[in-house]
């Protein structure tokens, strides 16, 4: 018997295939990666945290266009360190792009972004005057 090691490019289940297709896209190759993202909601805001260690603040682009929040960035691998011979590199390098459709009840000009300890954090405040909850009565 030979142990089969599935390729990272060929998913071994249909769920992983669709997950890879819809979440990572078709263009995901050697120079792109998909950082892990946590999304939470509080009473007053939405919070997004993206795990991107080794970046600098200037490496990020954050855009909001018609309710679509897009976070992108790039980290380049510097191979010029002659004193090191790398046998394995597991740190992800390249570019990433993540988009989120925001609800209508946000305050777009008050969005705050910060980067600390490898985590890019965004706080998206809610507009307290706009409630997205409605009650529907049965007739």
């Amino acid at each position: 018997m030979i142990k089969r090691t599935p390729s990272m490019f060929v998913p071994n289940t249909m769920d992983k295939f669709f997950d890879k297709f819809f979440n990572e896209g078709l263009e995901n190759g050697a120079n792109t990666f998909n950082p892990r993202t946590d999304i939470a909601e509080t009473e007053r805001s939405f919070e997004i945290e993206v795990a991107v260690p080794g970046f600098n603040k200037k490496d990020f682009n954050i855009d909001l266009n018609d309710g679509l929040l897009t976070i992108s960035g790039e980290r380049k691998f510097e191979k010029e360190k002659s004193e090191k011979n790398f046998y394995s590199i597991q740190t992800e390098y390249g570019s990433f792009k993540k988009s989120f459709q925001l609800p209508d009840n946000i305050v777009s000009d008050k969005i705050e972004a910060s980067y600390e300890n490898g985590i890019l954090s965004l706080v998206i405040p809610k507009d307290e005057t706009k409630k997205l909850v409605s009650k529907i009565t049965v007739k």
Side-chain angles (χ1 to χ4, degrees):
M1 290 184 129
I2 299 173
K3 181 180 177 184
R4 180 178 177 273
T5 305
S7 168
M8 66 182 277
F9 300 109
V10 180
N12 58 359
T13 67
M14 287 304 285
D15 286 340
K16 287 183 182 177
F17 170 77
F18 286 113
D19 188 48
K20 190 169 191 62
F21 179 78
F22 287 111
N23 292 327
E24 297 176 18
L26 295 173
E27 61 188 42
N28 193 13
N31 61 349
T32 63
F33 67 98
N34 190 16
R36 302 294 182 218
T37 305
D38 294 333
I39 303 170
E41 180 179 8
T42 66
E43 187 175 311
R44 296 186 174 168
S45 66
F46 297 98
E47 298 172 357
I48 299 174
E49 292 185 343
V50 184
V52 281
F55 276 70
N56 293 312
K57 292 177 184 180
K58 65 180 186 306
D59 295 333
F60 301 108
N61 293 316
I62 304 171
D63 298 309
L64 180 62
N65 189 7
D66 289 332
L68 185 67
L69 178 72
T70 303
I71 305 168
S72 60
E74 183 175 8
R75 181 171 62 182
K76 296 179 179 172
F77 181 59
E78 309 275 335
K79 293 185 179 181
E80 297 183 19
K81 294 185 179 182
S82 60
E83 69 272 3
K84 291 184 180 179
N85 292 324
F86 288 100
Y87 296 104
S88 174
I89 298 175
Q90 295 184 354
T91 307
E92 295 182 288
Y93 290 89
S95 61
F96 75 93
K97 184 176 184 179
K98 291 196 165 268
S99 296
F100 307 91
Q101 185 65 49
L102 298 179
D104 292 333
N105 68 334
I106 64 156
V107 184
S108 60
D109 58 340
K110 301 269 187 193
I111 296 175
E112 295 179 3
S114 62
Y115 180 69
E116 188 176 341
N117 296 328
I119 304 293
L120 176 65
S121 300
L122 281 87
V123 177
I124 305 160
K126 294 179 183 178
D127 186 349
E128 298 297 325
T129 62
K130 293 183 183 177
K131 297 288 182 185
L132 295 181
V133 178
S134 61
K135 183 152 179 108
I136 301 170
T137 59
V138 179
K139 296 179 182 179

